[in-house]
Amino acid sequence: MIRSEPPALLTGSFSQASLLRLYHRFRALDRNKKGYLSRMDLQQIGALAVNPLGERIIDSFFPDGNLRLDFPGFVRVLAHFRPIDDEDPGIRDPKEPEPLNSRMNKLRFAFQLYDLDRDGKISRHEMLQVLRLMVGVQVTEEQLESIADRTVQEADEDGDGAVSFLEFTKSLEKMDIEQKMSIRILK
């Protein structure tokens, strides 16, 4: 039995069968049967352990310094990676909240992986830190600095030396973010 039901907003993101499979995955990760997940539980996931942004992704499961991840929180983060339904006509009630797996919410999620200090901008320094995580030792520091400088310069439309969320979305408007940020966790 599920101890805490995910909010209605989330249950619309997944079918009941998918939610049940997610719950089983949640319980399997909760090896000590605590009823919640810790950072250490998520660090045991192989795909996250080898992902250069794995720690940043794990951070997204624990907003505001929380140390425990309950089932609704687990579902909320994974909903960002749910592929957009091909059958979806794209017409939704404007009063309804935007689905977590929408293009805009996927972009918000990606942006926060780069915005390390959560000030609403990606600085050259933050870009450089994330690039270091992503490429490791395969590229020289000079090359990384050049890539960070060029990336920020190309996206920075207002000349403040940083990339705002709006500038981030514009710089990625031609990228198929819906596809690149989709994981077929459940079928």
Side-chain angles (χ1 to χ4, degrees):
M1 180 165 140
I2 296 176
R3 274 185 233 157
S4 59
E5 285 292 315
L9 165 70
L10 299 178
T11 56
S13 299
F14 293 103
S15 69
Q16 284 302 111
S18 293
L19 275 175
L20 188 58
R21 285 193 294 270
L22 272 178
Y23 185 67
H24 288 301
R25 179 69 171 142
F26 179 86
R27 299 263 320 252
L29 289 168
D30 179 16
R31 290 191 177 96
N32 296 328
K33 309 298 177 227
K34 306 174 298 287
Y36 63 87
L37 301 178
S38 67
R39 293 183 65 84
M40 206 161 20
D41 293 321
L42 295 181
Q43 289 164 340
Q44 304 305 311
I45 299 171
L48 283 176
V50 299
N51 186 318
L53 293 176
E55 282 301 313
R56 295 289 304 140
I57 293 168
I58 289 171
D59 287 345
S60 67
F61 282 93
F62 299 93
D64 307 320
N66 292 341
L67 301 175
R68 296 177 175 194
L69 174 66
D70 60 9
F71 181 63
F74 182 70
V75 172
R76 187 177 306 107
V77 173
L78 291 179
H80 289 92
F81 296 98
R82 188 174 163 270
I84 293 176
D85 190 356
D86 295 332
E87 310 290 312
D88 184 6
I91 301 165
R92 64 177 181 84
D93 184 342
K95 293 180 192 112
E96 290 292 313
E98 193 172 356
L100 290 173
N101 67 332
S102 70
R103 176 179 180 80
M104 195 55 66
N105 279 324
K106 286 178 186 281
L107 286 167
R108 277 189 197 98
F109 187 90
F111 182 82
Q112 63 97 24
L113 293 177
Y114 288 87
D115 184 15
L116 303 176
D117 63 6
R118 299 181 183 193
D119 68 348
K121 295 206 170 248
I122 301 168
S123 68
R124 175 194 177 278
H125 178 71
E126 289 170 318
M127 181 66 69
L128 193 53
Q129 281 186 273
V130 172
L131 286 172
R132 279 188 194 117
L133 290 173
M134 290 172 36
V135 298
V137 294
Q138 301 150 353
V139 178
T140 68
E141 186 66 19
E142 192 175 293
Q143 289 170 317
L144 280 177
E145 288 179 11
S146 174
I147 293 167
D149 287 339
R150 193 170 58 243
T151 303
V152 170
Q153 279 176 349
E154 287 177 10
D156 179 21
E157 292 183 348
D158 64 8
D160 67 352
V163 180
S164 68
F165 179 68
L166 183 61
E167 292 166 336
F168 183 79
T169 60
K170 284 183 181 179
S171 69
L172 294 175
E173 65 189 0
K174 290 184 176 71
M175 183 181 284
D176 186 2
I177 202 82
E178 295 89 342
Q179 186 63 41
K180 294 208 181 295
M181 282 189 65
S182 292
I183 303 170
R184 297 222 176 257
I185 305 166
L186 309 162
K187 234 345 194 169

